[in-house]
Amino acid sequence: MAGALKIGIAGLGTVGASLVRILQERHNSLATTCGRAIEITAVTARDRTRNRGVDISGISWFDDAVTLATEADIDVFVELMGGAGDPAYSAVKAALSRGLHVVTANKALLAAHGIELAGLAESHGALLNYEAAVAGGIPVIKALRESMTGNTISRVYGIMNGTCNYILTKMEKEGLSFEACLKEAQRLGYAEADPAFDIEGNDTAHKLSILTSLAFGTAIAADDIYLEGITNISIDDIQAAADLGYRIKLLGVAQRTESGIEQRVHPTMVPLESVIAQVDGVTNAVAMESDILGELLMVGPGAGGNATASAVLGDIADIAKSRPGAQHVPAFGRPVTALLPYKRAQIQSHEGGYFIRLKVVDRAGVFANVATHMAENRISLESIVQHSKHHVEADEPQTIILVTHATTEDSVRKAVASIKGEGYLVGEPQVIRIERPKAG
Ligand code: HSE
């Protein structure tokens, strides 16, 4: 059997502790599978004394990640600290510069510096593996980077944040408030250190930017993403969506269009009968539409210690199994010099259906006036309903809900702006884009 693969782990949070436990418990079976043992020889974390439920006493301890990456006797640097900046950034650069392979779950780091790091890996003959960075345990990176090579991809979209999906599912099923559901997601270890990253959509955007690069062969453009989180979604929206045959999901969507690539993250109405609408709780799903394969939908656990550790372990095992001196898979599926420039399609030119919920003062002619503004902007309606209660108090606002046929974002924005100018709206209108899967 070949000599052991020596790994150093930086970060012993939920994922790091799961990884250590699995590597220790399955040491022998992994050695058989990989043809060589995988030994943890170095670790670092913020707090040496914290009880993590795993034994790290026989492993060399380093006080900081950069020193570990620079000095430890290891073959692979496993980065599980998170964050786009230091220490993760400097530590990963130090490791790659030494020719060490790197395995990371850090989507923020890749979104910000992925191409630079991929270049460094290439020039030092090292692997940069990051399966756990997108959709937790689902092997979506491998699917796009390796399995779908040669396909022309037209759209990639999915539910890529377990916390948001957990919140939206729990709000719908249990009628609980947004805040109560978020607290529970944090307690269960799904949320980011700063949960604003989850609920404002940044975490999904980081993941989407990585998928976009893999799907379209372009440089990463994480700052060029249209972004809306779920903090604005109310039980009323969830209920109205259900009444109309839709469910609300936070989707990340990257789509090839005539004017460039659309990258957008926003709450989205998906048809109730679609498969993606059935993806509940912390589960993630990623759909890929391409010319040779057709539509591929991958569904699985997207967050949590074990699911994420499983993907990290797969990346480490790939390195353990690789032959010394073998040609490595480029981090983003093609050599860095072959990545194309990213050209953004503006959100104003997005085409699709829309859900629009308006609260209006209850007076004659309002309903007709709303319909007129839609027609003036050439927006064709699938439905328009006034949600009336049986006993309406005088002056109580009424709710009008519209679902449009395919139109453009520009037309919807113009129509909503002119409706706002009429003076009968109460509060802000709610506008949610509709996304239709190609098949089921
Ligand atoms: N906070 C992330 C989520 C963890 O909720 O999906 C996995 O990236």
Side-chain angles (χ1 to χ4, degrees):
M1 193 177 274
L5 183 79
K6 290 180 271 187
I7 69 168
I9 302 175
L12 294 174
T14 318
V15 180
S18 287
L19 180 68
V20 171
R21 186 178 40 73
I22 295 164
L23 282 170
Q24 288 174 343
E25 286 174 0
R26 305 192 179 190
H27 181 270
N28 293 346
S29 63
L30 280 166
T32 307
T33 308
C34 298
R36 62 195 295 202
I38 299 171
E39 305 284 0
I40 309 169
T41 56
V43 286
T44 182
R46 241 174 292 185
D47 177 1
R48 187 170 187 173
T49 56
R50 200 178 125 203
N51 179 9
R52 303 175 170 91
V54 288
D55 181 12
I56 54 166
S57 57
I59 305 171
S60 300
W61 174 269
F62 284 78
D63 282 332
D64 73 278
V66 176
T67 309
L68 188 156
T70 312
E71 295 177 9
D73 176 23
I74 52 174
D75 305 301
V76 184
F77 178 67
V78 181
E79 187 278 302
L80 302 175
M81 294 175 290
D86 285 336
Y89 177 50
S90 293
V92 167
K93 275 205 301 189
L96 292 172
S97 303
R98 271 177 82 192
L100 299 181
H101 302 299
V102 168
V103 174
T104 179
N106 190 338
K107 52 258 161 169
L109 175 70
L110 293 167
H113 306 291
I115 303 305
E116 179 199 355
L117 298 175
L120 209 51
E122 255 172 62
S123 60
H124 289 86
L127 275 161
L128 174 60
N129 285 351
Y130 52 89
E131 188 63 74
V134 181
I138 305 175
V140 64
I141 303 298
K142 194 167 271 200
L144 283 171
R145 187 164 83 165
E146 295 163 49
S147 317
M148 292 178 72
T149 302
N151 278 267
T152 299
I153 295 171
S154 48
R155 181 169 62 156
V156 179
Y157 65 94
I159 297 168
M160 289 177 264
N161 184 271
T163 301
C164 287
N165 207 47
Y166 178 87
I167 291 172
L168 291 170
T169 304
K170 215 169 165 68
M171 281 173 76
E172 181 186 350
K173 292 210 165 135
E174 298 177 29
L176 291 173
S177 73
F178 177 86
E179 289 74 19
C181 300
L182 172 60
K183 267 207 185 101
E184 189 59 7
Q186 285 177 289
R187 194 184 66 77
L188 293 166
Y190 303 148
E192 296 302 304
D194 177 358
F197 268 70
D198 296 293
I199 59 180
E200 304 288 358
N202 308 78
D203 178 73
T204 303
H206 289 150
K207 292 166 178 169
L208 182 69
S209 71
I210 295 167
L211 295 190
T212 303
S213 171
L214 288 164
F216 303 117
T218 52
I220 292 179
D223 294 334
D224 248 348
I225 297 182
Y226 177 80
L227 190 60
E228 274 175 39
I230 62 164
T231 51
N232 202 16
I233 298 298
S234 66
I235 295 271
D236 287 350
D237 295 318
I238 290 174
Q239 188 55 52
D243 290 349
L244 292 161
Y246 294 93
R247 187 163 279 148
I248 301 175
K249 298 289 182 190
L250 182 76
L251 291 193
V253 186
Q255 186 170 7
R256 202 190 282 278
T257 75
E258 277 172 16
S259 57
I261 295 171
E262 260 183 28
Q263 288 192 103
R264 46 196 168 84
V265 172
H266 49 72
T268 311
M269 298 270 194
V270 291
L272 258 181
E273 70 279 3
S274 63
V275 179
I276 204 154
Q278 321 307 319
V279 175
D280 279 352
V282 73
T283 307
N284 280 195
V286 179
M288 291 151 269
E289 293 167 357
S290 68
D291 57 348
I292 309 174
L293 177 62
E295 191 181 23
L296 173 66
L297 179 69
M298 301 176 89
V299 180
N306 275 348
T308 312
S310 168
V312 173
L313 179 58
D315 280 348
I316 296 170
D318 274 353
I319 296 168
K321 292 174 193 168
S322 67
R323 281 171 289 114
Q327 184 70 33
H328 293 319
V329 182
F332 290 94
R334 52 171 77 192
V336 165
T337 49
L339 288 167
L340 307 165
Y342 168 85
K343 181 171 177 252
R344 177 184 189 160
Q346 296 301 320
I347 190 71
Q348 283 79 358
S349 58
H350 167 67
E351 289 180 21
Y354 286 76
F355 162 99
I356 303 165
R357 183 167 62 82
L358 309 169
K359 260 196 179 155
V360 299
V361 295
D362 191 14
R363 67 167 186 247
V366 168
F367 196 79
N369 186 270
V370 167
T372 301
H373 283 295
M374 292 293 143
E376 279 172 3
N377 286 284
R378 296 177 308 284
I379 298 172
S380 160
L381 297 175
E382 181 181 300
S383 67
I384 174 166
V385 283
Q386 182 157 350
H387 265 221
S388 283
K389 294 183 201 155
H390 292 302
H391 303 290
V392 181
E393 301 294 325
D395 297 335
E396 194 179 337
Q398 293 290 296
T399 298
I400 297 177
I401 292 173
L402 305 104
V403 175
T404 78
H405 285 300
T407 178
T408 64
E409 177 94 14
D410 194 45
S411 304
V412 169
R413 287 188 184 192
K414 283 185 178 142
V416 168
S418 47
I419 288 168
K420 275 170 112 171
E422 294 284 1
Y424 51 66
L425 281 190
V426 179
E428 278 298 301
Q430 175 69 290
V431 177
I432 303 178
R433 295 167 196 85
I434 297 170
E435 198 78 21
R436 293 190 187 281
K438 223 172 180 180

